[in-house]
Amino acid sequence: MFSKACEYGIRATVQIALQSEKGLRIGLKEISNAIDSPEPFTAKILQQLAKNDIIISSKGPTGGYEMSSNQLSTIMLSDIVKTLDCDLIYTGCGLGLATCDAKNPCVLHFQFDDIREQLKKMLENTSVQQLAKSRESGDTLLRL
Amino acid sequence: MFSKACEYGIRATVQIALQSEKGLRIGLKEISNAIDSPEPFTAKILQQLAKNDIIISSKGPTGGYEMSSNQLSTIMLSDIVKTLDCDLIYTGCGLGLATCDAKNPCVLHFQFDDIREQLKKMLENTSVQQLAKSRESGDTLLRL
DNA sequence: ATAATAAAAGATAATTTTGTCCTATATTTA
DNA sequence: TAAATATAGGACAAAATTATCTTTTATTAT
Ligand code: FES
Ligand code: FES
C-alpha cells in the first residue's frame, strides 16, 4: 500500500511527536531504535520531512528532531504521504494507465475512485498527534 | 496500490473476457497490443493466471487464451489480485510491521483495517465479466 | 577558538520489481 | 510424419526502490 519510505516516515513522525509532547528532542539513533528502521535510510526520510515543514531538525550537540506545537496540532497523515511521494495514491489510475480521468475512465475507475476517496479522507482526518495519543493512552499493545 | 504485474493481469484478463464472450481465443501479441503492455512480461503473468485456473491457455496454431463460461461467471478481481501476490493488501500491516494483528495493533491499525476491508469487498464483488461488460456497453471512453 | 556532536549531503551498494531473450514443448494443419 | 505456430520455462538485463557509507556543515559546550 505505502512505500517503505512512507511507512518509516509515519512511524518516525509519531515517535517524534511522542517526545515533542514531553518537550523533548529525539536523535536519529533513538528514532531508528524505537521504530526498528535502518538508520541512514531513516535519515534521508527525516530530511525530506524537515524540508517540508513536517518536523524540525537541529544540528550539533543536543540537536535532533522535534515538532512545534503548531505542527503537532496541524500535521495530518496525508501531509507525510504526499511528501514521501506515495502521492500516486492520490492521482494515479488503479490499472496503471497514464492518467486517471473521470471523463475518460478505465473499466475500474469508479470502483477504484471510491476506495481512493475513502483512503484520502482517512489520511486527511488522521493527525500524527492523534496516533501518538493512541499510543500513549493505549496499553503497551499499541505498537509502532 | 497494485503492482505492475497485477495491473497488467487485470487488464489482460478483461481483454480475454471480452473475446471469450464472442467465443474467440486471443493470442499474446493481440493482448499486449490491446492493453499496451510488454509482451514477454505479460506472458509470464498469463502463465500464472492459467496455472491458477483464472484463464485457459492453448498451445499451437489457433492457440491462445480464453475463459470458460464458468470462469467468466465466477472469476472476481480478488482472484487475480491474490494470484499475482498483491496478496499483501489482504494481510500486511499498513505501517510495515512484521504482522498485522488486531490483538496487537499498530497505531494505524483500525483506520487502515477499515479501508482494507472496503478494498477487499470491492475486489470480491467485482467480476471480470462485469468490467468487460462496462467496456462493451460504455462508449469508447472506457479505456483498458 | 577548539573539540565534540549530530544532522545534511552525496556517492555507492544491495535487493526487488519489471522487462527481455532464447530454447523447449505442445498442438494443429498439410 | 513434418513443418509451422503459439505458449511454457529458464536465464538474463534494466530500472526502481531500499539501504549503506563517507564526507561536510552547523551547532553547542568547553
Ligand atoms: S482511469 Fe483508471 S482509475 Fe481512473
Ligand atoms: S497492525 Fe498495523 S495495520 Fe494492523
Side-chain angles (χ1 to χ4, degrees):
Chain A
M1 178 78 86
F2 304 118
S3 67
K4 277 289 163 196
C6 205
E7 290 172 357
Y8 293 145
I10 295 171
R11 285 154 67 191
T13 307
V14 171
Q15 189 64 30
I16 294 168
L18 275 167
Q19 295 305 305
S20 287
E21 287 192 329
K22 294 190 233 158
L24 299 173
R25 276 190 190 145
I26 180 172
L28 171 61
K29 217 162 290 181
E30 285 178 272
I31 294 173
S32 289
N33 269 357
I35 70 173
D36 189 34
S37 69
E39 204 178 301
F41 190 43
T42 307
K44 300 289 181 194
I45 294 164
L46 293 175
Q47 280 173 38
Q48 284 189 265
L49 293 176
K51 266 185 204 156
N52 284 273
D53 297 313
I54 287 166
I55 58 176
I56 296 168
S57 76
S58 330
K59 287 185 174 182
T62 80
Y65 301 91
E66 69 192 301
M67 293 180 80
S68 70
S69 62
N70 186 49
Q71 285 171 335
L72 276 174
S73 60
T74 60
I75 297 296
M76 296 289 163
L77 277 190
S78 54
D79 298 314
I80 299 177
V81 172
K82 277 184 207 158
T83 294
L84 298 177
D85 281 338
C86 314
D87 188 288
L88 327 158
I89 293 173
Y90 277 15
T91 58
C93 164
L95 293 186
L97 302 184
T99 60
C100 172
D101 177 4
K103 281 169 193 148
N104 192 15
C106 74
V107 291
L108 194 60
H109 177 82
F110 297 106
Q111 290 96 326
F112 183 76
D113 196 50
D114 183 41
I115 302 289
R116 177 167 51 193
E117 279 306 314
Q118 301 193 43
L119 176 58
K120 225 184 220 172
K121 257 182 210 151
M122 185 274 270
L123 294 175
E124 282 168 2
N125 291 328
T126 305
S127 69
V128 171
Q129 195 168 39
Q130 190 178 329
L131 295 185
K133 282 225 159 59
S134 85
R135 176 106 170 84
E136 275 172 339
S137 66
D139 26 15
T140 53
L141 288 177
L142 290 163
R143 301 177 293 173
L144 213 61
Chain B
M1 178 78 87
F2 303 119
S3 68
K4 278 287 164 197
C6 205
E7 290 173 356
Y8 294 145
I10 295 172
R11 285 154 66 191
T13 307
V14 172
Q15 188 65 29
I16 294 168
L18 275 167
Q19 296 304 304
S20 287
E21 286 192 330
K22 294 189 231 158
L24 299 173
R25 274 189 193 147
I26 180 171
L28 172 61
K29 217 162 290 181
E30 287 177 90
I31 295 173
S32 288
N33 269 356
I35 70 173
D36 188 36
S37 69
E39 204 178 302
F41 191 42
T42 307
K44 301 288 181 194
I45 294 163
L46 293 175
Q47 279 172 39
Q48 284 189 265
L49 293 176
K51 266 184 204 158
N52 283 274
D53 298 311
I54 286 166
I55 60 176
I56 295 167
S57 76
S58 329
K59 288 184 173 182
T62 79
Y65 301 92
E66 69 191 301
M67 292 180 80
S68 71
S69 62
N70 186 49
Q71 285 171 334
L72 276 174
S73 60
T74 60
I75 298 296
M76 297 289 164
L77 277 190
S78 53
D79 298 314
I80 300 177
V81 172
K82 276 183 208 160
T83 294
L84 299 177
D85 282 339
C86 315
D87 188 290
L88 327 158
I89 294 172
Y90 277 21
T91 57
C93 164
L95 292 187
L97 302 184
T99 61
C100 172
D101 177 4
K103 281 169 194 149
N104 192 15
C106 73
V107 291
L108 194 61
H109 177 83
F110 297 106
Q111 291 95 325
F112 182 76
D113 195 50
D114 183 41
I115 302 289
R116 177 168 50 193
E117 278 306 313
Q118 301 193 41
L119 175 59
K120 225 185 223 175
K121 257 182 209 149
M122 185 274 269
L123 294 175
E124 281 167 2
N125 292 327
T126 306
S127 69
V128 171
Q129 196 169 38
Q130 189 178 328
L131 295 185
K133 283 226 156 61
S134 85
R135 175 106 170 82
E136 275 171 339
S137 65
D139 26 14
T140 54
L141 288 177
L142 291 163
R143 303 176 292 173
L144 213 62

